[in-house]
Amino acid sequence: MPDTAAPGTQRPGGRTARIREAVLRVAGDTLAADGFDALDLGEVARRAGVGKTTVYRRWGSPGGLAADLLADMADQSLPRADTGTLEEDLRANARLVVKTLTDPRQGRLFKALIAASLCNEQAAEALHRFYAVRVDEWAGCVRDAVARGEVPGGTDPHGVVAAVSAPLYYALLNTGRPLTEADADRAARAVGAAARAGVWVAG
């Protein structure tokens, strides 16, 4: 789930951390503005004010840079909600997804990273790891709901959480229409009802 702060905004540290912050910020700006094909390590180094050798030695390729950007975004992502009910937790998750995907910068950035994952193995693996981390974080909402008796025992937490964002990404990538909070709320209601009905009970 892409509920993230802008890369580099929450990271303290020394010179190495500052170099990474500068490079990842420029990489994110480049991806958001011009897509993966424009991610040239030499140009990123120039714009970040970092030695080209440093950038090539640390990241190696545009795919490696995109992968580190996604790792950084996962590290800075917001923690899951804990409202006391599954549907409200799922609504919070869905609204964060919509907020991120409709943000002028973050929305374009995720589109570029998704596009990169289709043609670059490093970017694909990094994107898969990013979503695995975010789904695992939010899966706790479903485990809590099982413990409260809101949904049947054996409900697959990861399947429930992934299902919340699926229609939102479909709308982003396939329909071209703007996402709204109403879309988020509808997704949360639908998935909550399906979970209560036992749709994601293993086996």
Side-chain angles (χ1 to χ4, degrees), residues 53-70:
T53 302
T54 298
V55 173
Y56 275 95
R57 183 173 62 245
R58 176 158 183 173
W59 286 281
S61 68
L65 185 51
D68 195 32
L69 178 64
L70 279 161

Side-chain angles (χ1 to χ4, degrees), residues 21-112:
E21 177 182 350
V23 169
L24 293 186
R25 184 182 296 115
V26 170
D29 290 344
T30 301
L31 283 165
D34 301 310
F36 183 72
D37 288 343
L39 197 61
D40 176 84
L41 266 61
E43 179 62 15
V44 168
R46 186 191 67 77
R47 290 177 55 192
V50 176
K52 185 186 296 187
T53 302
T54 298
V55 173
Y56 275 95
R57 183 173 62 245
R58 176 158 183 173
W59 286 281
S61 68
L65 185 51
D68 195 32
L69 178 64
L70 279 161
D72 184 69
M73 292 165 69
D75 288 343
Q76 297 189 52
S77 293
L78 299 173
R80 73 171 177 92
D82 186 8
T83 67
T85 69
L86 178 61
E87 191 161 314
E88 287 301 315
D89 287 347
L90 296 181
R91 180 177 290 110
N93 174 268
R95 286 191 172 195
L96 279 169
V97 172
V98 167
K99 181 180 179 181
T100 300
L101 296 181
T102 56
D103 179 84
R105 181 182 188 276
Q106 292 292 86
R108 291 195 303 268
L109 176 56
F110 270 97
K111 284 182 180 179

Side-chain angles (χ1 to χ4, degrees), residues 5 16 20 98 132 134 157 175 179 190:
T16 298
R20 183 176 183 235
V98 167
R134 298 312 300 144
T175 70
L179 289 169

Side-chain angles (χ1 to χ4, degrees), residues 6-21:
T9 59
Q10 300 178 4
R11 192 191 320 65
R15 180 176 180 275
T16 298
R18 288 193 298 273
I19 288 172
R20 183 176 183 235
E21 177 182 350

